[in-house]
Amino acid sequence: MRSKKILTMVECAVMVALAFALSWVVLWKMPMGGSVTLASMLPIMFIGIKYGPKIGLGTAFVYSLTQLLQAVMQGDVFIYCQTAFVVVICALFDYVVPFSVLGLSGVFARKTKFGAYAGMVAVTVVRFVCHFVTGVFIWGQWAPEGMGKVVYSIVYNGGFLLPDLAICIAVAIPLLQVKQMRKLLGLTDSK
């Protein structure tokens, strides 16, 4: 039993490290934060699918802290935050919460390939909602003239999350065709 827990922790740590490494492979970057990466969300989503919400959420929370650290190291996001309160809100709702929800992908997975894809889409939608809210209430002040804050937030956040999700699904499709991968994730062969 103990060795199974250790194996699970090691697997989660490796997947966080892989996701973090992939988050540095930036295909394009948005001017005020957000980027399209080489499927950096996928390892965390796979942990959520394999282990469910408890372990998935814990792993994703650790990943969210790496993303927050990465933003601080790059120094190009928090410079736009004008007060300490806005920094805290931005840290929570642009990093901790939206990246943590990725670990909930297993809630929607239903242990089939289709369920895995549905889970990936669902958690990305929840992540989008988090970014959308901060986009309206914090970042909306930088909306181009004549463009409302809501439209700006939809366009801006959709501009990196949709391609990022598409890349994750494009990478997941061939991976989930492999029977051993489906078995590793605990997915059935139906659908």
Side-chain angles (χ1 to χ4, degrees):
M1 183 67 150
R2 181 183 159 133
S3 63
K4 185 177 179 182
K5 286 182 181 181
I6 291 172
L7 182 62
T8 299
M9 288 188 338
V10 168
E11 186 177 1
C12 292
V14 167
M15 294 302 257
V16 167
L18 177 60
F20 184 63
L22 289 171
S23 74
W24 287 97
V25 183
V26 176
L27 304 177
W28 80 78
K29 186 175 180 136
M30 301 296 277
M32 297 176 71
S35 58
V36 177
T37 64
L38 188 59
S40 63
M41 297 186 296
L42 191 58
I44 305 305
M45 291 173 173
F46 276 178
I47 288 293
I49 291 166
K50 180 175 182 177
Y51 290 110
K54 184 177 176 184
I55 291 174
L57 193 58
T59 302
F61 174 73
V62 172
Y63 178 60
S64 76
L65 298 179
T66 70
Q67 293 307 288
L68 182 59
L69 176 66
Q70 186 178 33
V72 170
M73 288 170 42
Q74 291 175 334
D76 58 356
V77 174
F78 294 108
I79 58 172
Y80 296 103
C81 298
Q82 298 171 337
T83 67
F85 176 74
V86 172
V87 169
V88 170
I89 295 300
C90 181
L92 286 175
F93 293 102
D94 270 343
Y95 293 93
V96 176
V97 174
F99 285 102
S100 292
V101 299
L102 297 177
L104 297 176
S105 56
V107 169
F108 307 98
R110 293 197 180 111
K111 297 301 180 182
T112 65
K113 282 193 298 183
F114 176 79
Y117 299 130
M120 293 166 62
V121 170
V123 295
T124 304
V125 167
V126 175
R127 181 178 167 199
F128 171 82
V129 169
C130 292
H131 292 305
F132 169 77
V133 170
T134 59
V136 170
F137 294 105
I138 295 175
W139 307 109
Q141 63 185 323
W142 286 284
E145 191 170 325
M147 180 184 279
K149 293 178 178 184
V150 170
V151 172
Y152 172 71
S153 186
I154 290 170
V155 170
Y156 187 95
N157 292 302
F160 71 89
L161 281 173
L162 281 175
D164 217 25
L165 173 62
I167 291 168
C168 286
I169 290 175
V171 171
I173 287 172
L175 289 175
L176 295 181
Q177 295 303 318
V178 178
K179 186 175 184 171
Q180 293 85 352
M181 180 60 100
R182 290 192 307 274
K183 184 178 178 184
L184 180 69
L185 293 176
L187 300 176
T188 64
D189 283 336
S190 63
K191 293 187 185 179

